[in-house]
Amino acid sequence: MNIELKTINNRLLTDPQGFVQDTDTAYQNRLNEIADDIAAHRAERPIILLSGPSGSGKTTTAQMIEKILDLRGIETHTLSLDNYFRTLTDEDKILFAQGKLDLESPNRVDSEFLSEQLTAIEEGKPVELPTYDFKESARVMSGNILHRKKGELVILEGIHSLNPDVIRIPDDKTAKIYVSVRTRITDNGEILHPSKIRLMRRMVRDRLFRKRSLNDTLMMFRSVEEGENKYIMPYKYRSTYDVDTFMAYEICAYKNCLLDDLKDMSHEPELMDAGAFLADAAAMPNGALSADSLIREFVGSKDCC
């Protein structure tokens, strides 16, 4: 799907809050459709696997689906695949310091332990959930017990959630969701690839919440993209449901935060088109961005970044 930047600007300048509301509602309606089908098959498919590339909005989408199902009286629990990463060995830490550890590899996940827990959860047995200490690069047990009761659902979100080498429970026990930015923005014959929207999202989030420079995010983006092509894209065909997480107004919310810096980084080939599209985009006015917008995952509580 394509959308003209001129159309985005016209909607934003004419009725910013209405534009945001219409966009959010269309996205919410898609999640409601998925929740309807998940609810109808919850007895045979109690485990929901949600995957997508970095910056696709996996966390927020999982939380929104959980909320929809909870409001319908279907208790739903969301787990992060990140908490099932293996603890790094001393050798791993040396490779990491040398930039030689493949951080995107599915081998980072302790698939045997994960499968044991998912099987127990599906069978209604209590399990103590793990958490991952990223500062120490170690998995630890949280003390939190999950005991799924009959009729309850569990969402597992993470980049490798559709990889059958990672998730080893039977397919017929799971529903599968693939989320990503799919829509392309066009402007005077030029096209902004969806991956550049995801890059903008990561730049904003990394700067605001991870104290990471835009240059550092760009360097990571290159290896992340390689990992996506190797480890994520090959399995998106396995999804039961596909979700386009593109928010038509989002480029306007990133303009003030990123434009000046992207001008200074215009020599980077990945950023030339992103900077040009940001320059032509209208800026999101204060107060227009909804409190529950998907892009709050990246911009936080501010009206625009």
Side-chain angles (χ1 to χ4, degrees):
M1 178 178 174
N2 293 347
I3 185 171
E4 289 273 356
L5 183 59
K6 183 185 298 184
T7 301
I8 293 173
N9 287 344
N10 288 342
R11 287 292 315 273
L12 190 78
L13 294 172
T14 303
D15 181 14
Q17 290 182 324
F19 180 35
V20 169
Q21 182 176 351
D22 288 348
T23 304
D24 290 351
T25 298
Y27 177 68
Q28 188 73 22
N29 287 343
R30 175 58 180 148
L31 299 190
N32 280 322
E33 291 173 357
I34 292 172
D36 285 343
D37 200 57
I38 287 173
H41 296 92
R42 66 185 184 275
E44 64 266 29
R45 300 192 313 219
I47 307 296
I48 303 154
L49 307 175
L50 190 150
S51 177
S54 178
S56 59
K58 293 185 296 297
T59 300
T60 298
T61 301
Q63 291 171 347
M64 287 182 169
I65 293 174
E66 176 183 349
K67 183 178 180 180
I68 292 169
L69 292 166
D70 283 344
L71 288 173
R72 296 181 184 187
I74 303 171
E75 185 70 23
T76 304
H77 314 270
T78 298
L79 309 179
S80 172
L81 188 63
D82 290 0
N83 290 326
Y84 290 88
F85 284 165
R86 299 179 188 275
T87 296
L88 294 189
T89 65
D90 290 340
E91 182 180 356
D92 290 333
K93 292 177 181 179
I94 293 172
L95 292 173
F96 176 74
Q98 296 173 342
K100 297 178 180 179
L101 185 67
D102 186 353
L103 297 177
E104 309 305 315
S105 171
N107 291 329
R108 288 197 70 202
V109 180
D110 188 342
S111 56
E112 292 185 5
F113 174 62
L114 170 60
S115 295
E116 287 174 5
Q117 288 224 322
L118 287 179
T119 298
I121 289 169
E122 189 274 323
E123 293 175 351
K125 300 175 182 177
V127 298
E128 181 181 1
L129 298 174
T131 188
Y132 201 83
D133 184 339
F134 283 90
K135 185 177 180 180
E136 300 296 329
S137 298
R139 188 180 73 229
V140 296
M141 301 311 291
S142 67
N144 295 325
I145 305 298
L146 172 59
H147 190 179
R148 187 187 74 85
K149 299 179 178 62
K150 185 177 181 179
E152 293 184 353
L153 296 169
V154 172
I155 300 172
L156 177 70
E157 65 92 3
I159 61 174
H160 299 299
S161 292
L162 298 187
N163 186 333
D165 292 330
V166 174
I167 309 297
R168 300 177 183 176
I169 61 174
D171 270 353
D172 59 5
K173 301 288 187 182
T174 68
K176 305 175 185 66
I177 305 172
Y178 183 81
V179 304
S180 189
V181 177
R182 308 295 289 272
T183 299
R184 290 166 165 77
I185 304 176
T186 60
D187 186 31
N188 296 319
E190 299 296 321
I191 298 176
L192 186 67
H193 192 272
S195 64
K196 303 302 177 63
I197 293 291
R198 293 192 291 104
L199 175 57
M200 290 184 201
R201 290 176 173 184
R202 294 187 65 214
M203 284 181 156
V204 171
R205 179 192 62 193
D206 287 358
R207 167 184 274 175
L208 290 176
F209 304 114
R210 303 182 181 181
K211 309 304 179 185
R212 191 175 288 154
S213 72
L214 301 191
N215 189 65
D216 287 344
T217 300
L218 177 60
M219 296 302 105
M220 292 183 66
F221 173 76
R222 291 166 178 162
S223 63
V224 165
E225 265 211 314
E226 182 180 351
E228 289 167 0
N229 291 329
K230 288 170 61 178
Y231 305 129
I232 303 174
M233 304 301 185
Y235 302 107
K236 64 182 182 180
Y237 78 93
R238 303 185 71 241
S239 63
T240 315
Y241 319 98
D242 294 314
V243 181
D244 184 354
T245 62
F246 174 74
M247 300 288 110
Y249 54 76
E250 65 179 287
I251 189 172
C252 304
Y254 308 145
K255 178 168 183 168
N256 291 338
C257 183
L258 294 178
L259 181 57
D260 289 343
D261 294 288
L262 293 196
K263 285 179 179 177
D264 294 338
M265 300 171 69
S266 61
H267 58 284
E268 300 288 357
E270 295 94 340
L271 298 177
M272 293 174 64
D273 53 356
F277 273 77
L278 276 179
D280 289 343
M284 175 72 71
N286 287 331
L289 189 62
S290 58
D292 56 357
S293 168
L294 174 125
I295 72 166
R296 291 290 184 191
E297 181 175 331
F298 310 100
V299 304
S301 59
K302 297 181 181 180
D303 283 342
C304 50
C305 63

